Amino acid sequence: MQCKLDEAERYCSINSLLINATKSLASIHGPLPNLLPVLTLLRRPLTYVETSKYVGISLCSTARDIFMPHYEEKAATARRAANASLSLESYIGPLPPSIALTLYRARVEPHLTAGCEVALDVRTDALKTLEDIQLNFLRRALRVSPRAQTAALHSETGIWPLAFRRLALALRYLRYVLTDKPPLPYDALQDSWSLAVHAGAPSWWSDLHLVGLALDEPIHIPLRRFPTATSTTALLAQLHDALARSVERAVALSGRLPLLQRRLAHRSLMRRGAPIPLGEVCAYRAYLDLPTQRQREAITLLLLSEHPLAVERLRRQKTPPPRSERKCRFCLQPWAVEDETHTLLECDGGPLRARRDRFMEEASAIHRALPRLQFRLSSNALLDYLLQSETLLPLLATYVADVFSLCLSTPLLLPPDSNTRSPQGVTDRRVPPELPAGYRQ
């Protein structure tokens, strides 16, 4: 090492280059010798350090993951940027989702993905803190609770899960290196591939292979085949498809996202079973641009199952009753489960029926074929159609918001043997004659 330092001094003196010896540091990666060698540069002894920063990336010689301080620093910076962005609400009021997501892309995501071309996420818990920051920001942007399903946060905003986003940026950088062949990065890539294939040693190339296999929907990056620009472009296409499958599978397996599940089922049917492209599975949705905050929140709470209906509220009890026992508080019918479709389109309860008739009258004035569709389609299909109609979406959002307000002012219908109070704090346990046997409000 001292010979290399001396050679660097000679090279700089011949080419009129200056070395800042006071800023030069030494670090040992691997087992420490019993006696540290003295390294000098311009006759100055170098200081040995555990952690140092090189080209913006913090490296540590004593941790198992040499990039651990880099993850910690970027997580702290991203958290400060996220808090500063969201603190704007204290001055200008609630941020529309479009503005909040623009701030995320401009101020937060650059820190969450900084150095991802070099620091590959091979450590299982490396991304945990960064992912928590991303998910907390998305929940704040959509104004939903921590219970909101993670898959829905991505499918409704178009923001990629961080593991997929960071790997995509690393693959794009790899394609740049293979296309333009900048001398130092291209030589480093060849050395990394040679180490992984011929020596069986850990390297950047082997780490990239492992990161692809660690995704929710794994992609296979051939370890022994040297990459080309064409093969890397194909890997990026595979990554897009894997992300679409990952989000689609998470939504399909959720027990709380019936409206999103029906949306995906409809699009799969329209494509006759062909895979749904990423642009339809994970995209920024039109309802996030509705003119008022009340309208945006109503549709968001409806789709993400964050609404005040019994099918969701009673799920949060310590011992959730079966779905069939989450009865409607308005019509009080023993067969009626208070879910999204029943409450919005089927319930005959007095206040809901009057508000729905007014909504259908206003909507029919805009969409004259709606009465025929109401007669021909099932309630589920009609609700799905209304949610997909951009012309009717503002009216629907106002109607949904009014229904939710009625729900918040009317106590839940609690099933027998339930010790949970309704959200409004009603404690009267007298059972009116019209309630289903054993139920109370």
Side-chain angles (χ1 to χ4, degrees):
M1 179 58 71
Q2 184 61 56
C3 294
K4 291 185 179 294
L5 291 173
D6 295 339
E7 184 178 346
E9 287 185 31
R10 288 193 295 271
Y11 176 85
C12 292
S13 63
I14 294 172
N15 292 276
S16 301
L17 298 176
L18 295 177
I19 299 179
N20 192 331
T22 59
K23 291 185 177 181
S24 299
L25 302 170
S27 179
I28 297 178
H29 292 263
L32 294 176
N34 293 329
L35 182 63
L36 292 177
V38 178
L39 301 177
T40 60
L41 184 63
L42 298 179
R43 298 181 181 179
R44 288 175 175 267
L46 298 181
T47 303
Y48 284 94
V49 295
E50 296 180 2
T51 304
S52 61
K53 184 170 291 189
Y54 181 71
V55 198
I57 296 181
S58 297
L59 305 172
C60 181
S61 62
T62 56
R64 188 171 184 179
D65 182 359
I66 65 172
F67 298 115
M68 186 172 65
H70 175 74
Y71 282 100
E72 294 173 348
E73 290 179 11
K74 290 305 173 183
T77 306
R79 186 179 291 107
R80 288 194 296 269
N83 292 339
S85 300
L86 294 171
S87 69
L88 286 174
E89 293 188 340
S90 302
Y91 302 95
I92 64 174
L95 288 173
S98 59
I99 295 178
L101 295 178
T102 298
L103 288 171
Y104 168 82
R105 292 187 179 94
R107 304 292 299 173
V108 182
E109 189 180 71
H111 298 294
L112 297 178
T113 58
C116 63
E117 304 89 347
V118 176
L120 301 176
D121 308 316
V122 291
R123 184 160 50 94
T124 54
D125 59 342
L127 274 181
K128 182 66 172 63
T129 305
L130 300 179
E131 287 176 332
D132 289 343
I133 295 170
Q134 182 195 50
L135 296 177
N136 288 337
F137 192 100
L138 294 181
R139 290 188 176 103
R140 288 282 301 276
L142 296 181
R143 309 185 75 80
V144 294
S145 75
R147 298 185 185 93
Q149 299 281 280
T150 300
L153 300 178
H154 299 297
S155 70
E156 302 306 288
T157 61
I159 300 295
W160 286 26
L162 207 52
F164 286 88
R165 177 63 174 161
R166 288 172 62 93
L167 180 55
L169 292 175
L171 289 174
R172 285 165 59 180
Y173 179 73
L174 173 62
R175 184 172 59 182
Y176 152 73
V177 172
L178 294 168
T179 302
D180 293 358
K181 296 185 178 179
L184 291 179
Y186 188 73
D187 290 345
L189 172 62
Q190 289 180 313
D191 289 344
S192 176
W193 180 84
S194 180
L195 279 172
V197 173
H198 300 306
S203 68
W204 182 89
W205 179 248
S206 64
D207 287 350
L208 189 69
H209 171 78
L210 294 174
V211 170
L213 295 178
L215 296 175
D216 293 337
E217 286 286 334
I219 64 169
H220 177 67
I221 301 175
L223 183 64
R224 296 190 170 276
R225 188 188 310 158
F226 191 79
T228 63
T230 303
S231 66
T232 305
T233 301
L235 286 173
L236 282 167
Q238 292 180 32
L239 185 65
H240 281 69
D241 295 339
L243 174 55
R245 292 195 304 271
S246 175
V247 175
E248 183 180 0
R249 182 170 58 86
V251 171
L253 294 178
S254 172
R256 294 183 51 198
L257 302 172
L259 297 178
L260 299 187
Q261 290 168 354
R262 294 208 299 267
R263 179 209 287 167
L264 290 176
H266 173 72
R267 294 187 177 178
S268 178
L269 182 64
M270 294 296 291
R271 292 182 168 273
R272 299 182 179 180
I276 306 175
L278 179 60
E280 296 183 16
V281 176
C282 184
Y284 182 82
R285 306 298 174 180
Y287 66 83
L288 296 177
D289 286 329
L290 286 169
T292 68
Q293 177 191 350
R294 186 169 185 261
Q295 292 174 327
R296 294 190 296 266
E297 287 189 7
I299 299 298
T300 302
L301 297 179
L302 177 68
L303 291 174
L304 272 65
S305 293
E306 289 286 296
H307 47 65
L309 305 182
V311 71
E312 179 59 32
R313 287 300 176 92
L314 293 181
R315 187 197 308 277
R316 302 174 185 177
Q317 289 190 355
K318 186 174 181 180
T319 305
R323 191 178 190 277
S324 59
E325 294 184 9
R326 302 170 196 176
K327 305 299 184 182
C328 178
R329 75 189 87 181
F330 297 102
C331 66
L332 305 177
Q333 297 294 335
W335 49 264
V337 175
E338 189 180 286
D339 60 9
E340 299 87 349
T341 302
H342 172 80
T343 306
L344 293 175
L345 297 179
E346 297 175 347
C347 183
D348 288 328
L352 284 189
R353 181 62 181 266
R355 182 63 185 89
R356 182 168 66 253
D357 290 345
R358 181 157 61 90
F359 162 69
M360 295 303 296
E361 181 181 351
E362 295 171 348
S364 298
I366 299 174
H367 193 307
R368 298 194 178 278
L370 187 59
R372 293 195 299 272
L373 292 175
Q374 185 181 12
F375 176 75
R376 294 177 179 178
L377 297 178
S378 67
S379 297
N380 285 340
L382 180 60
L383 181 57
D384 296 340
Y385 178 82
L386 292 173
L387 287 168
Q388 296 303 314
S389 174
E390 293 190 11
T391 57
L392 297 177
L393 196 55
L395 274 179
L396 176 66
T398 302
Y399 168 57
V400 171
D402 291 344
V403 170
F404 287 172
S405 296
L406 287 173
C407 291
L408 293 174
S409 62
T410 306
L412 278 170
L413 195 59
L414 301 180
D417 302 325
S418 173
N419 294 321
T420 303
R421 296 183 179 185
S422 63
Q424 292 76 27
V426 175
T427 57
D428 187 1
R429 293 179 178 264
R430 293 173 295 176
V431 181
E434 66 272 21
L435 292 183
Y439 279 76
R440 67 183 189 278
Q441 283 185 311

